[in-house]
Amino acid sequence: MTDLIDALGRIGLVPVVKVENTQQALGMASALLEAGLPCAEITFRTPAAEDCIRTIARDYPQIIIGAGTVLTAEQAERAVRAGARYIVSPGFDGHVVDWCLARHVPVMPGVATPTEILMALDKGISLLKFFPAEALGGVRMLEALAAVFGGVRFVPTGGVTATNLPDYLKLPSVFAVGGSWLVSGKLLAAGAFEEVTRLAREAVEIVAHARGHGGGQ
Ligand code: 3PG
């Protein structure tokens, strides 16, 4: 595991965001930094994703910026060229995974079943996005998977909120948690960056509390 991914694990929480333009991206980046949350996953769900990654990587190099919802190797390449430091996909795609592995780019494929976990392990990848976490059974499903796949660490994403965040963080198999509630499209569109800071600060406190204030793994 790289130092970068270690750092994500220490932070414990990755805001997953759909940004419409670079103005939103910059407002969000500054709001997250102010809350002490120096990371974000920019999803390839808008045409602006690549530009937003480039802008944040340039103006806020202290933020660990990843690209999410990467569905093709071509998108992975564009994301990395723009400055994304790791790649996340919602499911397991062999082309995306192989592209990243060949270039030593950290990649976190999404898994929802034991079979997909086996596919990832076959590629030597044991840090996996668990998506969509709540719809798949959330904490109970993760406990069942962890009982079988001892060496796997998960980043549950999808339906995570400030309310269920502590339950996920209690699980030893959970490396970090991802979620969009603190950087929702509504907040960004309204320019409500103070609210983003407030929610991010609250989330950082929840993580610290769930981990016994140690701030680490
Ligand atoms: C993702 O891409 O990881 C999810 O869409 C985030 O899920 P959420 O919006 O339920 O937090």
Side-chain angles (χ1 to χ4, degrees):
M1 209 178 303
T2 66
D3 291 350
L4 171 103
I5 299 300
D6 275 349
L8 278 187
R10 277 193 300 276
I11 296 168
L13 168 70
V14 182
V16 175
V17 63
K18 183 176 153 205
V19 267
E20 300 292 344
N21 54 56
T22 53
Q23 201 182 341
Q24 284 186 4
L26 288 173
M28 176 202 71
S30 144
L32 292 177
L33 269 188
E34 187 156 338
L37 190 51
C39 64
E41 178 187 317
I42 308 282
T43 59
F44 266 68
R45 293 188 207 169
T46 65
E50 192 178 338
D51 252 6
C52 291
I53 290 171
R54 186 172 296 109
T55 304
I56 295 178
R58 184 194 61 212
D59 290 5
Y60 293 96
Q62 64 274 54
I63 294 184
I64 303 174
I65 194 86
T69 320
V70 172
L71 305 180
T72 64
E74 186 257 340
Q75 278 179 335
E77 179 166 11
R78 280 168 44 208
V80 169
R81 280 213 182 131
R85 294 164 71 188
Y86 67 97
I87 296 293
V88 183
S89 41
F92 185 93
D93 180 85
H95 301 289
V96 171
V97 164
D98 288 346
W99 187 91
C100 292
L101 290 179
R103 288 154 188 85
H104 306 288
V105 174
V107 58
M108 209 188 294
V111 296
T113 65
T115 304
E116 290 151 3
I117 295 173
L118 286 170
M119 288 164 70
L121 289 175
D122 188 50
K123 295 279 186 187
I125 303 172
S126 57
L127 178 62
L128 302 169
K129 172 170 175 153
F130 177 61
F131 176 78
E134 277 293 289
L136 288 170
V139 165
R140 283 193 60 212
M141 174 75 160
L142 274 176
E143 281 172 337
L145 291 172
V148 179
F149 298 104
V152 173
R153 307 291 302 280
F154 296 98
V155 180
T157 311
V160 180
T161 64
T163 308
N164 57 19
L165 179 59
D167 299 330
Y168 281 103
L169 291 169
K170 268 184 222 145
L171 302 179
S173 65
V174 167
F175 181 79
V177 166
S180 68
W181 82 92
L182 62 172
V183 285
S184 72
K186 230 180 182 174
L187 289 176
L188 299 190
F193 298 117
E194 281 176 19
E195 181 64 1
V196 171
T197 298
R198 190 190 69 75
L199 291 169
R201 220 174 246 144
E202 176 190 73
V204 167
E205 275 165 26
I206 294 171
V207 175
H209 191 258
R211 289 178 165 177
H213 299 275
Q217 294 283 289

